[in-house]
């Protein structure tokens, strides 16, 4: 399970709402299948680089979208911007939840460059291993998001008459949906990691081993900027270098592209030429949409579907 900033798990149908910046996308899942998908372009300037810039304008756009798409009130939200920090923390095994939380907050105060009183903090243990002395250690992924950014987003959604049940990272939602067993380019490999690069209103990058996201960041380069292939390739290489500097990081085997930009064949070809790694195009909704409800552009719904899946966990 990936961490979320807050969540109320549900066994019923769940709706993920992706506020991409260029568009809104909602995906409702029930019984492991898409039962409704809707998307609408978002006016420019309401959300910039993943941050709300016009709360009233966004609320109005969401209200109209919810009405025309006939969405239910309850939604699961995602965030992706520069005001989010994700770190791996290494600790001795701690069974007591209160002691674990205290130890993580102590580590986070040193590893995360923002005052914790200004942050929403969440964490999730991902695995255990042994160090060079043979002692058992646990690795914990810690997420911190600036509280003011979260509050602006939630306020806009509530003002639209919607009720946010959970807030997750877009990167975690992306990994969650693309690591499904029949996802293109996501079959089990030799135990290495994959780079997932979602090319939407912002470029969102995650590095994961299986379903565990080990590194994530948003990238300043937009996929449809002039000369974007060179800059995106550089950003991917820099991200891999940073990730590999973390102790115990399995090597990257492949780059998997998703989002609307993954339909740009020229961009995909240029990235493959620049990167000394295999580049694959993800199935945007692996095994989730056999009826083609999102057929007009399924690449818009990948993150929304991952958010809905998170609501069911």
């Amino acid at each position: 399970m990936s961490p979320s900033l807050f969540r109320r798990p549900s066994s019923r149908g769940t709706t993920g709402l992706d506020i991409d910046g260029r568009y809104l996308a909602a995906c409702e899942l029930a019984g492991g299948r898409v039962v409704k998908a809707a998307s609408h372009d978002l006016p420019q300037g309401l959300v910039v680089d993943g941050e709300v810039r016009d709360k009233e304008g966004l609320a109005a756009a969401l209200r109209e979208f919810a009405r025309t798409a006939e969405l239910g009130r309850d939604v699961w939200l995602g965030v992706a911007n520069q005001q989010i920090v994700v770190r791996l923390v290494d600790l001795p095994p701690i069974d007591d939840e209160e002691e674990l939380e205290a130890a993580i907050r102590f580590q986070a105060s040193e590893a995360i460059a923002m005052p914790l009183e200004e942050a929403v903090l969440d964490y999730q243990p991902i695995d255990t291993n042994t160090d060079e002395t043979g002692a058992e250690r646990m690795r914990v992924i810690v997420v911190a998001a600036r509280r003011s950014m979260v509050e602006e987003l939630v306020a806009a959604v509530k003002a639209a008459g919607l009720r946010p049940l959970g807030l997750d990272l877009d990167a975690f939602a992306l990994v969650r949906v693309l690591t499904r067993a029949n996802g293109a380019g996501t079959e089990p490999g030799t135990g290495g990691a994959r780079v997932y690069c979602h090319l939407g209103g912002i470029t969102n990058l995650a590095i994961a081993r299986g379903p565990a996201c080990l590194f994530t960041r948003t990238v300043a380069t937009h996929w449809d900027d002039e000369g974007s292939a060179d800059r995106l390739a550089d950003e991917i290489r820099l991200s891999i270098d940073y990730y590999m500097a973390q102790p115990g990081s399995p090597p990257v085997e492949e780059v998997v592209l998703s989002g609307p930009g993954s339909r740009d064949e020229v961009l995909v070809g240029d990235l493959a030429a620049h990167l000394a790694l295999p580049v694959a195009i993800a199935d945007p909704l692996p095994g989730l949409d056999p009826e083609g409800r999102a057929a007009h552009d399924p690449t818009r719904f990948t993150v929304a579907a991952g958010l809905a899946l998170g609501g069911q966990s």
Side-chain angles (χ1 to χ4, degrees):
M1 185 180 84
S2 296
S4 67
L5 303 181
F6 63 81
R7 65 167 60 237
R8 301 175 193 166
S10 171
S11 59
R12 300 176 297 172
T14 54
T15 299
L17 175 61
D18 180 18
I19 303 174
D20 173 83
R22 295 187 180 182
Y23 58 84
L24 301 170
C27 190
E28 182 181 348
L29 301 181
R33 295 289 186 269
V34 174
V35 297
K36 182 184 290 184
S39 181
H40 194 277
D41 290 345
L42 194 63
Q44 188 174 1
L46 302 184
V47 178
V48 179
D49 295 331
E51 297 183 42
V52 177
R53 296 292 175 84
D54 182 346
K55 184 168 61 178
E56 290 74 20
L58 177 59
L62 283 168
R63 189 180 303 111
E64 178 64 14
F65 177 60
R67 184 188 66 80
T68 58
E70 299 181 339
L71 299 183
R73 286 193 64 210
D74 295 342
V75 294
W76 294 77
L77 303 176
V79 288
N81 57 53
Q82 297 291 340
Q83 297 201 54
I84 298 166
V85 180
V86 179
R87 292 288 184 268
L88 277 175
V89 173
D90 186 65
L91 295 168
I94 301 174
D95 294 326
D96 183 85
E97 192 66 29
E98 290 186 2
E99 290 182 12
L100 177 60
E101 183 173 350
I104 288 170
R105 290 191 69 85
F106 177 77
Q107 291 272 11
S109 66
E110 299 182 344
I112 294 173
M114 74 172 74
L116 293 189
E117 62 271 15
E118 298 178 9
V120 180
L121 192 71
D122 202 2
Y123 64 90
Q124 180 68 45
I126 57 171
D127 60 24
T128 58
N129 52 38
T130 55
D131 62 19
E132 62 276 5
T133 68
E136 189 176 8
R137 307 288 293 180
M138 65 186 299
R139 289 197 304 170
V140 181
I141 192 162
V142 181
V143 181
R146 196 166 294 278
R147 187 177 300 276
S148 58
M149 177 272 296
V150 171
E151 290 174 346
E152 282 286 291
L153 175 64
V154 170
V157 173
K158 287 182 175 179
L162 300 173
R163 181 169 60 180
L165 296 186
L167 182 68
D168 209 345
L169 296 194
D170 284 357
F172 294 157
L174 181 68
V175 171
R176 185 181 296 124
V177 70
L178 293 186
T179 51
R180 292 174 60 85
N182 59 345
T186 60
E187 294 80 5
T190 59
R194 284 182 170 85
V195 175
Y196 297 93
C197 191
H198 188 75
L199 306 172
I202 62 172
T203 301
N204 200 13
L205 185 146
I207 301 179
R209 184 183 190 185
C213 182
L214 306 176
F215 174 85
T216 181
R217 62 184 287 245
T218 57
V219 175
T221 300
H222 294 285
W223 64 268
D224 51 358
D225 288 345
E226 185 177 353
S228 61
D230 288 348
R231 294 195 297 276
L232 278 174
D234 288 342
E235 295 280 7
I236 291 170
R237 281 192 291 264
L238 286 170
S239 298
I240 293 172
D241 289 345
Y242 185 91
Y243 154 78
M244 288 300 300
Q246 300 174 132
S249 298
V252 169
E253 295 179 337
E254 183 180 37
V255 176
V256 180
L257 303 178
S258 62
S262 67
R263 298 162 62 113
D264 186 329
E265 295 181 0
V266 174
L267 173 67
V268 172
D270 287 346
L271 281 175
H274 287 304
L275 296 168
L277 286 167
V279 175
I281 306 302
D283 178 344
L285 294 167
L288 293 171
D289 192 24
E291 305 300 325
R293 290 182 176 86
H296 64 285
D297 187 357
T299 64
R300 282 193 172 196
F301 297 99
T302 303
V303 170
L307 295 170
L309 284 171
Q312 297 176 348
S313 62

